[in-house]
Amino acid sequence: MILIVDDDRGIRTSLRLLLERNGYEVAEAKNKQEAMNIVWNQPPELILMDMNFSPLTTGEEGLQLLRQVKETNPLIPVILMTAWGSIELAVRGMKTGASDFITKPWNNSLLLRRIETTLRLSARQATADGRIPSSFPLSSPQTVASSLPSPAIIGRSPQLLKVMETISLIAPTNASVLITGESGTGKELIAQTLHQQSQRAKKPFVKVNLGGMSQSLFESEMFGYRKGAFTGAVGDRKGRFEMADGGTIFLDEIGDLDMGSQVKLLRVLQEQTFEPLGTSKPLQVDVRVVSATNAPLQQLIQEGRFREDLFYRINLISVHLPALRERPEDIPLLVNHFTRQAAKANALPMADIADDAIDYLRTLTYPGNIRQLKNLVERTVLISRRQLLTRRDFERQVVLDPQLSAPVTHGMGTLDEQERDAIVRMLEQHNNNISRVAEALGISRGALYRRMEKYNIKP
């Protein structure tokens, strides 16, 4: 049963007819007292609540009711309804415990999707018992992958399994998802998995990198334009939102978006309508929004660089990806996976990884996370071309990546050993051609000669 709380009888009637036509049982309340009587005696599955019960309350009465509902039964999800100019009030409601908010006048189909999403999330959360659901697709005890064709998500660490458990719960819904984590942790892969395990899997998955996108480029890129909209617009062009209609739009690096573009984005996410440049005719789309960032959005909000209302719109569900250093038990699985990938892509025999190499790779720090490990493994496979890759093979490549850290040993020092071995190896590969060796190592000829003298290397 859905409880509608609004002092306007006309709005209650409109919402009741809409919900009953779509199979929902409905109860109504025109004030706080009537609403709480229903909450106490016949708890609803969801409350659809206006924030302003009269022009004089400025939303405070709505916030009081929300607090009382959450104190009485915190499991009841609440969707707030407010005017566009009062979104700040809705943000206060989200902080108090509301599940979502929608602006008036509402779009019927959008409102129904929000209700369905909130109910499904609430039901799944209520039945979750801390175990991975039976529908959680495990292609092996070590590999988690989408049931549809997609790059595998490799790992068995508790942190990763917890992430995938969350994905299995939220993927079938239309909930907006914010994926956070350091660069290189696999945020795009998680977004793809969310799409491929959703009911939108056969529809488009559209990726947009918002990093550094100017406000003028944002409008033409996201909303599209019509012929003649500006100089150079020789034809119509669809924007990314129109391309993603029915599917998922992935907004990467959303923390880098400028404030002016954030306002425009919020309107589209709230109303799911926009106007292409060069026309005043609005287009309506049905898209699921998945965003990602490695920026601290809460800190950006405090600094006035990110809108709090936009944060709550994109952050109905949050998924945080652990850094690779937090899941070292996954490194052997990832190394073997990337080794197979590199061998297959370059038509090379599959190489084995020696135990000492795995032990060594687990001791490194990876500021670039999985992406950096993948590059290291691919480089080692391509240059070493051995049937058995040892610690020494990886050490020779680590010296070429200044971001990677290696353990320090006594005597000459591991980094010096790696550098010397890398120079000797490059001299062998390039037949002592100093210019080519210097280029391969990314240093000048003079620097190479100084290192050769330091390590007493003679061609």
Side-chain angles (χ1 to χ4, degrees):
M1 181 259 288
I2 296 178
L3 172 61
I4 302 170
V5 185
D6 198 301
D7 65 324
D8 189 318
R9 181 178 179 180
I11 289 179
R12 296 200 308 273
T13 301
S14 296
L15 290 171
R16 171 188 279 276
L17 292 174
L18 173 65
L19 296 178
E20 288 181 342
R21 282 199 305 267
N22 286 273
Y24 293 107
E25 181 184 351
V26 178
E28 297 181 31
K30 64 177 179 292
N31 55 43
K32 183 170 66 173
Q33 291 72 28
E34 290 184 4
M36 287 310 303
N37 283 336
I38 295 174
V39 171
W40 285 322
N41 297 312
Q42 190 184 2
E45 296 174 85
L46 181 143
I47 298 176
L48 188 59
M49 186 177 77
D50 185 30
M51 292 294 288
N52 291 296
F53 293 117
S54 75
L56 301 177
T57 61
T58 65
E60 291 303 325
E61 190 173 2
L63 288 172
Q64 290 174 8
L65 174 57
L66 176 59
R67 293 189 190 98
Q68 197 167 355
V69 168
K70 287 300 175 180
E71 290 170 359
T72 302
N73 191 335
L75 297 180
I76 299 177
V78 179
I79 297 179
L80 305 176
M81 302 187 71
T82 186
W84 172 259
S86 303
I87 286 185
E88 183 179 351
L89 183 61
V91 169
R92 292 176 61 192
M94 296 289 286
K95 291 180 177 180
T96 305
S99 299
D100 202 351
F101 67 92
I102 193 164
T103 55
K104 295 180 179 179
W106 65 87
N107 174 282
N108 285 347
S109 59
L110 179 58
L111 175 59
L112 290 171
R113 288 200 300 269
R114 295 272 174 83
I115 289 174
E116 178 189 4
T117 294
T118 303
L119 286 172
R120 293 186 67 172
L121 288 174
S122 177
R124 287 174 178 270
Q125 185 173 357
T127 56
D129 58 3
R131 296 177 299 172
I132 299 174
S134 59
S135 60
F136 185 49
L138 293 172
S139 59
S140 76
Q142 299 176 343
T143 303
V144 179
S146 168
S147 57
L148 295 174
S150 69
I153 298 176
I154 305 297
R156 60 186 174 193
S157 62
Q159 300 95 321
L160 183 64
L161 293 180
K162 186 64 177 178
V163 167
M164 294 310 298
E165 179 184 354
T166 301
I167 289 174
S168 71
L169 291 173
I170 64 177
T173 74
N174 287 311
S176 59
V177 180
L178 176 63
I179 307 172
T180 61
E182 296 178 8
S183 178
T185 50
K187 295 187 285 295
E188 182 178 351
L189 184 56
I190 294 298
Q192 290 175 339
T193 304
L194 278 167
H195 174 72
Q196 291 164 345
Q197 293 188 4
S198 74
Q199 298 175 352
R200 300 172 179 265
K202 295 182 179 180
K203 297 293 185 178
F205 175 83
V206 176
K207 176 189 174 183
V208 187
N209 191 325
L210 298 176
M213 186 180 289
S214 66
Q215 188 169 342
S216 58
L217 181 60
F218 175 84
E219 291 189 76
S220 61
E221 187 71 19
M222 303 302 290
F223 308 147
Y225 52 80
R226 297 294 178 257
K227 181 179 179 179
F230 50 84
T231 303
V234 296
D236 295 350
R237 180 184 176 184
K238 288 184 177 181
R240 298 300 183 94
F241 275 104
E242 191 175 357
M243 293 178 187
D245 190 23
T248 303
I249 189 165
F250 176 47
L251 305 177
D252 200 9
E253 304 298 346
I254 195 169
D256 295 341
L257 195 60
D258 67 271
M259 294 294 286
S261 298
Q262 290 178 32
V263 176
K264 296 179 173 63
L265 177 61
L266 177 62
R267 276 194 174 273
V268 178
L269 301 189
Q270 180 59 38
E271 302 172 4
Q272 299 246 325
T273 61
F274 61 92
E275 296 176 0
L277 295 177
T279 179
S280 58
K281 183 180 179 180
L283 292 180
Q284 184 170 343
V285 291
D286 170 18
V287 297
R288 183 189 194 168
V289 179
V290 178
S291 308
T293 183
N294 57 13
L297 293 187
Q298 293 283 14
Q299 180 179 333
L300 296 183
I301 290 171
Q302 294 175 0
E303 296 172 355
R305 296 162 55 195
F306 198 85
R307 293 182 64 94
E308 191 172 26
D309 44 14
L310 177 58
F311 173 77
Y312 281 106
R313 173 51 64 215
I314 64 175
N315 190 33
L316 186 59
I317 299 292
S318 180
V319 176
H320 180 73
L321 300 187
L324 185 56
R325 62 182 174 276
E326 298 170 9
R327 39 181 286 221
E329 60 266 58
D330 290 339
I331 289 178
L333 304 176
L334 290 164
V335 170
N336 280 283
H337 176 70
F338 294 144
T339 301
R340 288 193 298 270
Q341 275 191 338
K344 182 178 180 180
N346 295 280
L348 297 173
M350 174 60 191
D352 292 323
I353 311 296
D355 290 342
D356 69 333
I358 294 295
D359 293 340
Y360 169 69
L361 292 173
R362 290 186 60 158
T363 66
L364 302 180
T365 62
Y366 298 92
N369 290 290
I370 298 173
R371 185 184 300 124
Q372 192 170 26
L373 174 62
K374 181 175 185 288
N375 291 340
L376 172 61
V377 172
E378 288 179 344
R379 195 166 63 242
T380 303
V381 169
L382 290 174
I383 292 179
S384 297
R385 296 185 178 237
R386 299 178 186 272
Q387 286 297 104
L388 179 65
L389 298 177
T390 66
R391 170 176 177 146
R392 183 58 59 88
D393 293 308
F394 286 99
E395 286 177 335
R396 287 166 175 157
Q397 302 310 315
V398 166
V399 73
L400 303 179
D401 190 340
Q403 284 191 320
L404 284 168
S405 299
V408 177
T409 60
H410 296 290
M412 187 177 187
T414 301
L415 288 176
D416 283 348
E417 290 176 350
Q418 293 168 28
E419 188 171 53
R420 186 185 192 284
D421 289 343
I423 294 172
V424 171
R425 180 99 178 137
M426 290 297 106
L427 287 167
E428 292 173 355
Q429 288 186 4
H430 295 286
N431 296 319
N432 295 323
N433 187 312
I434 298 298
S435 296
R436 290 181 180 177
V437 172
E439 181 179 357
L441 293 174
I443 58 179
S444 66
R445 286 169 54 93
L448 176 58
Y449 277 122
R450 287 192 294 273
R451 283 168 170 77
M452 290 173 65
E453 182 179 357
K454 173 182 177 182
Y455 300 128
N456 194 26
I457 299 174
K458 301 184 184 301

